[in-house]
Amino acid sequence: MLGTGPAGLTAAIYLARANMNPIVIEGEQPGGQLTLTTEVENFPGFIDGIMGPDLMDNMRKQAERFGAEFKRGWVTDVDVSQKPIKLHVNGLGEVVTESLILSTGASAKLLQIPGEQEHIGSGLSTCATCDGFFYRGKKVIIVGGGDSAMEEANFLTKFASEVTIIHRRNELRASKIMQDRAKRNPKIAWGLNKTPLEVIGDGIKVTGLKVKNNDTGEDEIVEAEGIFVAIGHTPNTAFLKGQIETDEVGYIQVKPGTTETNIPGIYACGDVQDDKYRQAITAAGTGCMAALDVERYLESVSNEWNPILSGVTEG
Ligand code: NAP
């Protein structure tokens, strides 16, 4: 199994509990996107909400309790052309498996504008929860008009003196409840209908964002010491190098109502195959589906392949 967000960990719980000996490979961000968030208020079962990292920690411990084995590594290559499937994992070597669950999630998108790359880590961030603390008493910008942008803007007002939301259109994409929360926050200023053009710095740190004001057609500089980009995510499927069917963006295609990919024995769950719902609870739900699909698959091929074969073959 690849990935340890809510999808991967739910699949691990189900497979471990069914004595299927899952090996879970966790990449650069164990626990996935929820480890970068604060309070999760809409995961059923937590009346007062739960902190994202705590939720993921609980899921991991639950999987470990049933015997799931966690390994840290970065998959650089896969060969899905025959069974067993082979993965090359940095730090682990070659891993072979009869069946594979892909739950590698999605990563934050960047604006792809001048000045952005050189300021990552020195004024430009994609994670308010991780970096907001560094902007105590400073002016910051959030780019984006979705729920993430609203949530992160509110969060940043705990630290920053002012948070300006820059969005390329007049209408926000965010849900009404999230919009209303942001609109009620007196520390949030609005820069609607403004398209980001360039991250401006003084050679060391960020000093502002150049934007095009789409009402006037003029360029403007919005001053800030920090810029947080919250414009959505890209599915983490580059390592598959085209061996599994995806859509044009890279989201893995699954057969409707299942987690089956186009390769028998390989299943996908969570945000890596979902550009629509993208919720922790839907990711967890598809993780459960993937585990059940794997169980049925291994039962169906058990005469040809031994499901216990999965394992690390070299260090
Ligand atoms: P999103 O809904 O896709 O919104 C992305 C925003 O970034 C859009 O407003 C988009 O503008 C803007 N954008 C995209 N590319 C851009 C670019 N190159 N330059 C400037 N702006 C750009 O992504 P999200 O806010 O990360 O939310 C993803 C999913 O997670 C959603 O389903 C959301 O409901 C969910 N979510 C839920 C919660 C919660 O309930 N607590 C919190 C966070 C996220 P346009 O609108 O013009 O396309």
Side-chain angles (χ1 to χ4, degrees):
M1 301 183 37
L2 304 181
T4 51
L9 290 179
T10 303
I13 291 167
Y14 271 76
L15 284 173
R17 199 164 170 274
N19 287 329
M20 304 297 282
N21 303 332
I23 291 178
V24 188
I25 297 176
E26 48 189 355
E28 275 180 349
Q29 198 180 81
Q33 291 176 59
L34 277 187
T35 58
L36 305 178
T37 195
T38 48
E39 195 157 6
V40 180
E41 292 174 327
N42 50 11
F43 200 92
F46 299 93
I47 299 165
D48 300 318
I50 181 167
M51 298 304 279
D54 293 342
L55 179 61
M56 301 322 297
D57 200 39
N58 289 351
M59 285 192 194
R60 186 192 164 114
K61 286 180 180 145
Q62 197 175 351
E64 280 174 331
R65 180 182 149 216
F66 295 115
E69 195 180 334
F70 286 80
K71 302 245 176 225
R72 195 79 187 265
W74 190 250
V75 179
T76 54
D77 225 347
V78 292
D79 178 1
V80 304
S81 60
Q82 53 191 354
K83 298 289 184 305
I85 300 155
K86 289 193 181 116
L87 311 171
H88 194 273
V89 188
N90 267 357
L92 291 178
E94 189 174 81
V95 175
V96 294
T97 180
E98 299 297 339
S99 185
L100 178 64
I101 294 181
L102 300 166
S103 52
T104 46
S107 297
K109 273 196 217 161
L110 288 169
L111 291 160
Q112 314 290 355
I113 56 174
E116 185 177 44
Q117 279 296 332
E118 51 267 47
H119 287 106
I120 293 174
S122 62
L124 189 130
S125 168
T126 55
C127 178
T129 317
C130 319
D131 300 327
F133 180 79
F134 301 117
Y135 295 89
R136 198 172 283 279
K138 296 179 178 167
K139 278 185 171 184
V140 301
I141 288 169
I142 276 274
V143 182
D147 282 341
S148 298
M150 302 304 116
E151 186 175 71
E152 298 201 358
N154 269 317
F155 175 75
L156 284 168
T157 60
K158 292 184 188 173
F159 309 101
S161 58
E162 184 180 82
V163 179
T164 303
I165 295 178
I166 299 289
H167 177 43
R168 62 187 177 183
R169 295 185 296 131
N170 266 321
E171 298 76 33
L172 295 166
R173 183 178 290 276
S175 56
K176 188 165 179 319
I177 185 170
M178 302 291 270
Q179 288 190 31
D180 290 347
R181 249 181 229 174
K183 283 175 184 164
R184 281 198 305 269
N185 191 323
K187 284 173 88 179
I188 293 179
W190 296 87
L192 296 181
N193 216 13
K194 292 182 178 176
T195 303
L197 295 177
E198 184 178 351
V199 174
I200 310 290
D202 61 6
I204 300 170
K205 58 183 186 340
V206 163
T207 56
L209 181 67
K210 189 199 268 187
V211 295
K212 181 176 180 191
N213 181 327
N214 297 318
D215 290 326
T216 64
E218 302 286 316
D219 292 354
E220 298 170 1
I221 306 269
V222 182
E223 287 181 10
E225 287 181 68
I227 298 174
F228 289 84
V229 179
I231 60 167
H233 292 83
T234 307
N236 296 321
T237 48
F239 69 97
L240 295 171
K241 297 176 182 146
Q243 294 184 72
I244 304 278
E245 209 170 280
T246 66
D247 67 9
E248 65 285 353
V249 181
Y251 285 95
I252 295 174
Q253 301 283 279
V254 291
K255 292 189 189 139
T258 77
T259 62
E260 290 170 33
T261 68
N262 61 314
I263 306 285
I266 302 191
Y267 302 87
C269 53
D271 285 10
V272 75
Q273 53 83 55
D274 174 19
D275 66 347
K276 188 173 175 193
Y277 299 105
R278 297 183 290 194
Q279 301 299 302
I281 188 65
T282 52
T286 56
C288 164
M289 288 164 64
L292 298 178
D293 284 343
V294 163
E295 260 188 77
R296 282 175 200 145
Y297 170 76
L298 289 175
E299 272 165 26
S300 75
V301 298
S302 60
N303 290 338
E304 295 167 59
W305 292 311
N306 174 3
I308 310 298
L309 241 187
S310 305
V312 179
T313 57
E314 59 189 64

